[in-house]
Amino acid sequence: MNKLLCLIIFLFTAVPFAQAQYSRDNVSVAIGPAMLYGDNAGRYRQFRFEISPALSLSYSREISDELDIRATAGVQLMDSGDFGMNSLRQENRSALENQAVHFTGQAFFLDVMPVYLFNPTPPGYVGYEFNYYADVGLGALYSNRVDQIPLVREESTDPIFFEEENNQSIAAYVPIRAGISTNLEGMWDIGVEGTLITALPSNVDGNTIKHKLLPMDMLLQFQVTLKRYLGR
């Protein structure tokens, strides 16, 4: 009986430990260039827009052979640069009332998503040199900006003046990510990852007139990732 009890205790303690030793659970940091697709942030048909840095931190937990669950938090700098609505005609002024023409700021984002691995490595097997993955989820974005808003004067031919306002907005978004990572069979891996953040309302840039081909505001990021495993 004592031997059986010791065996049961050993199994209940050793099995979770063994699983932890071979899990894909990891934390990762990512950094790289990013852009904003907004109403006042670029002339996209001419490929003229600002490139700004983005930084994110993720925690990923293995839930099956092909699936992980991942939480990501990060920040992207935003700047409309010189590509905003510089040429404001008289008939445009009333439409731009309380709308940001230029802005600078930051977008803070947080999302959760399932991650599908196309070629996972089973525990105890020699894996592929590279792993491929893709995921889609749901998140919340907080935009903190300094907006430049035109002072509207009806039927005036005077030059348009601007006032600066500190504004914020919150938006739900759908993130789509895809990436490739090394599989060095150690505690560290590196990779590259692309992220598309599609905000459901169009107020990330302080402007809602939808003066672009697609109505949504979107953040596009291309990052280098550094991954640290917790249970290999």
Side-chain angles (χ1 to χ4, degrees):
M1 179 63 69
N2 290 336
K3 291 182 179 180
L4 179 60
L5 182 60
C6 290
L7 179 60
I8 294 174
I9 294 174
F10 173 78
L11 290 175
F12 273 88
T13 55
V15 170
F17 179 78
Q19 291 177 342
Q21 289 295 97
Y22 295 100
S23 73
R24 291 192 304 264
D25 297 358
N26 65 81
V27 294
S28 63
V29 60
I31 187 169
M35 61 161 288
L36 169 67
Y37 180 76
D39 294 294
N40 55 10
R43 301 172 186 174
Y44 302 103
R45 294 182 180 179
Q46 304 173 17
F47 294 95
R48 299 180 62 190
F49 45 82
E50 288 288 318
I51 300 294
S52 302
L55 173 69
S56 61
L57 180 67
S58 301
Y59 169 72
S60 183
R61 183 175 180 83
E62 179 182 354
I63 58 175
S64 71
D65 289 342
E66 291 86 13
L67 287 177
D68 291 350
I69 188 73
R70 170 177 170 176
T72 301
V75 59
Q76 176 175 324
L77 301 185
M78 301 185 297
D79 190 342
S80 63
D82 296 326
F83 308 114
M85 302 171 188
N86 293 313
S87 57
L88 300 179
R89 295 176 299 174
Q90 179 68 31
E91 59 268 25
N92 291 347
R93 297 188 180 190
S94 60
L96 290 171
E97 187 173 6
N98 297 322
Q99 301 284 336
V101 175
H102 309 282
F103 80 100
T104 58
Q106 312 85 34
F108 300 90
F109 53 91
L110 173 66
D111 56 65
V112 178
M113 59 182 61
V115 182
Y116 181 79
L117 286 84
F118 294 97
N119 58 342
T121 301
Y125 289 82
V126 177
Y128 298 93
E129 294 182 351
F130 297 95
N131 292 131
Y132 310 91
Y133 62 90
D135 43 88
V136 61
L138 188 63
L141 183 147
Y142 172 73
S143 174
N144 182 45
R145 309 176 309 277
V146 177
D147 295 336
Q148 287 188 344
I149 299 175
L151 296 175
V152 178
R153 298 176 181 176
E154 295 293 341
E155 299 181 358
S156 173
T157 58
D158 295 335
I160 295 180
F161 297 96
F162 298 91
E163 60 179 353
E164 291 190 350
E165 292 185 1
N166 294 318
N167 290 318
Q168 301 83 32
S169 59
I170 298 176
Y173 69 87
V174 176
I176 301 174
R177 289 190 177 92
I180 178 174
S181 173
T182 60
N183 186 22
L184 303 178
E185 303 292 343
M187 299 300 294
W188 297 88
D189 276 322
I190 60 174
V192 292
E193 181 178 271
T195 302
L196 177 64
I197 292 177
T198 303
L200 300 182
S202 177
N203 194 30
V204 175
D205 57 356
N207 194 306
T208 59
I209 67 172
K210 298 182 174 61
H211 188 69
K212 55 185 187 294
L213 181 62
L214 300 176
M216 302 83 67
D217 289 343
M218 294 183 286
L219 285 68
L220 181 62
Q221 305 167 354
F222 183 79
Q223 297 174 301
V224 176
T225 63
L226 178 63
K227 185 185 299 184
R228 173 62 162 84
Y229 293 95
L230 304 177
R232 265 191 173 181

